[in-house]
Amino acid sequence: MHTNTHQAGFVSIIGKPNVGKSTLMNALLGEKISIISPKVQTTRHRILGILSKPEYQLVFSDTPGIIQPKYKLHGNMMEFVNQSLQDADVVLFITDHTHESEEDPELIEKLKVIKTPLIVLINKVDELKSNEEVMSRVEFWKNQLNCSAILPISALNKFNLDTLLKQVLQHIPKGPSYYPDDQLTDKSERFIASEILREKIMMRYKEEIPYSVQVEITEFKQEEKLLRISAEIYVMRDSQRQIMIGKGGIALKNTGIAARRDMERFFGQHIFLQTYVRVKENWRDSDKLLKQFGYKED
Ligand code: GDP
Ligand code: MG
């Protein structure tokens, strides 16, 4: 039971690659990292983790479209940015000891139109040589943006993270948790990819097929310009395999295209998806397979 002072809300984390988003998440969540299925907010956010304490629950997510140049915004940029952040209570913009963000006018323009309370984090201060250097970064962002706080932090050394949490909580409304407080399952990105493909199969095939199918991601590899994903789709009979593949392979191809599109939205990058259909008569009974699919604990 929560008292009426319990707070719960959404925190969007944005920032260029390599600034320390993952490190910060790990530092904040510790072992309690919980990456959950994309179904909740499929296209605009991906949930990075949930931090549940007796006094509050913070749901951290990122918004890939804002930072990545391949999502260059045509037309109504303001609307896009506002929409994609509207359900966040506070936005954390992370930058680091390099000048990459400071030298990206397009990024700064996007940050300027964010109406949600914005906290700027200057990460990796352990790499900065002097206090003056830290202060000049703070000054820069203070002049550029209308933000509610600017904090120097070190995600790696867990420096100033208490202050960060206090600042964040100032913007989080009172209310009950959005997710079960004990949701600790570590759902990996692989799992999310398999769920996306499984969802497309469930939507596209009739009758017994959805219930006879299991998906396993056999390759999940970050390459320079794309994410390479291979998936094996297990069915129980050869007749089901024929249906899965369809005449001339068209059914499988279209399912793959639909899954790839969703994966690209979710992971915020190009995906090369390969799918294979295999007959595995007894997958439902096989211990090893059930473990692989995550239905069974060791
Ligand atoms: P992301 O791409 O934004 O998720 O960045 P990562 O969290 O993967 O971090 C990129 C690199 O920066 C890694 O090598 C981290 O160890 C390093 N890093 C992150 N935070 C800090 C920090 O506070 N200080 C230093 N020196 N390095 C950091
Ligand atoms: Mg990362």
Side-chain angles (χ1 to χ4, degrees):
M1 273 284 127
H2 294 302
T3 63
N4 57 7
T5 59
H6 187 270
Q7 291 169 275
F10 289 83
V11 183
S12 265
I13 299 183
I14 58 178
K16 283 180 174 284
N18 243 15
V19 294
K21 296 183 293 296
S22 304
T23 310
L24 178 65
M25 285 304 300
N26 288 338
L28 290 173
L29 300 181
E31 293 306 307
K32 297 201 163 185
I33 189 147
S34 163
I35 296 166
I36 72 158
S37 129
K39 288 213 180 85
V40 195
Q41 314 172 38
T42 310
T43 52
R44 294 209 296 258
H45 299 270
R46 46 184 186 177
I47 293 183
L48 298 175
I50 302 170
L51 179 59
S52 299
K53 298 272 177 179
E55 307 81 27
Y56 58 81
Q57 180 175 74
L58 299 176
V59 183
F60 293 93
S61 71
D62 69 357
T63 310
I66 288 187
I67 297 297
Q68 277 140 335
K70 62 177 98 51
Y71 279 80
K72 269 221 168 76
L73 307 174
H74 308 292
N76 202 336
M77 182 180 79
M78 309 257 281
E79 195 187 310
F80 177 90
V81 174
N82 289 335
Q83 254 182 24
S84 55
L85 294 171
Q86 72 187 355
D87 45 2
D89 298 297
V90 56
V91 175
L92 303 182
F93 165 63
I94 309 184
T95 173
D96 67 6
H97 61 306
T98 69
H99 284 92
E100 272 181 44
S101 299
E102 291 169 43
E103 286 161 3
D104 186 341
E106 199 187 338
L107 168 65
I108 294 172
E109 283 313 303
K110 288 175 188 172
L111 293 171
K112 279 184 177 162
V113 299
I114 293 176
K115 293 209 178 75
T116 314
L118 179 68
I119 297 176
V120 176
L121 300 178
I122 299 162
N123 189 27
K124 308 190 190 179
V125 285
D126 53 291
E127 297 270 350
L128 288 174
K129 282 174 196 69
S130 64
N131 246 337
E132 285 70 40
E133 218 181 317
V134 178
M135 285 322 292
S136 83
R137 305 299 173 96
V138 173
E139 279 304 309
F140 176 85
W141 291 108
K142 202 187 262 170
N143 291 330
Q144 292 293 329
L145 303 172
N146 179 20
C147 43
S148 63
I150 305 176
L151 290 179
I153 62 163
S154 169
L156 200 62
N157 300 339
K158 304 196 174 164
F159 168 73
N160 232 3
L161 301 189
D162 289 353
T163 318
L164 166 59
L165 277 175
K166 277 190 199 124
Q167 290 285 346
V168 166
L169 285 166
Q170 289 189 4
H171 303 283
I172 302 296
K174 286 189 183 134
S177 294
Y178 289 90
Y179 298 93
D181 282 350
D182 59 353
Q183 183 150 357
L184 308 175
T185 9
D186 183 357
K187 308 273 192 212
S188 66
E189 292 186 322
R190 267 176 192 255
F191 174 82
I192 288 167
S194 77
E195 282 292 283
I196 290 173
L197 178 56
R198 205 169 59 86
E199 183 194 80
K200 298 299 167 219
I201 294 168
M202 302 288 273
M203 280 162 40
R204 288 168 166 267
Y205 293 88
K206 293 194 193 78
E207 287 153 29
E208 97 261 29
I209 292 279
Y211 306 98
S212 312
V213 158
Q214 201 39 266
V215 172
E216 187 193 353
I217 303 298
T218 51
E219 187 183 30
F220 191 96
K221 198 162 156 226
Q222 182 67 60
E223 296 185 356
E224 200 181 335
K225 293 206 167 108
L226 53 79
L227 191 56
R228 182 179 296 276
I229 300 176
S230 302
E232 309 222 339
I233 301 166
Y234 292 99
V235 292
M236 293 193 286
R237 284 194 299 278
D238 194 58
S239 59
Q240 294 170 337
R241 183 171 173 275
Q242 307 287 338
I243 297 169
M244 274 300 312
I245 292 170
K247 261 213 177 82
I250 198 77
L252 183 63
K253 186 176 169 213
N254 288 336
T255 304
I257 290 172
R260 178 174 53 80
R261 286 208 185 109
D262 263 23
M263 289 176 190
E264 288 185 336
R265 269 190 228 118
F266 184 74
F267 293 110
Q269 58 177 313
H270 290 299
I271 306 275
F272 183 77
L273 174 66
Q274 278 175 302
T275 51
Y276 306 90
V277 184
R278 298 202 199 291
V279 179
K280 207 145 231 177
E281 278 167 26
N282 55 349
W283 71 256
R284 278 187 179 159
D285 304 326
S286 157
D287 249 28
K288 182 166 172 281
L289 279 172
L290 287 177
K291 266 180 206 155
Q292 276 177 9
F293 296 139
Y295 286 136
K296 201 165 191 287
E297 305 285 308
D298 277 307

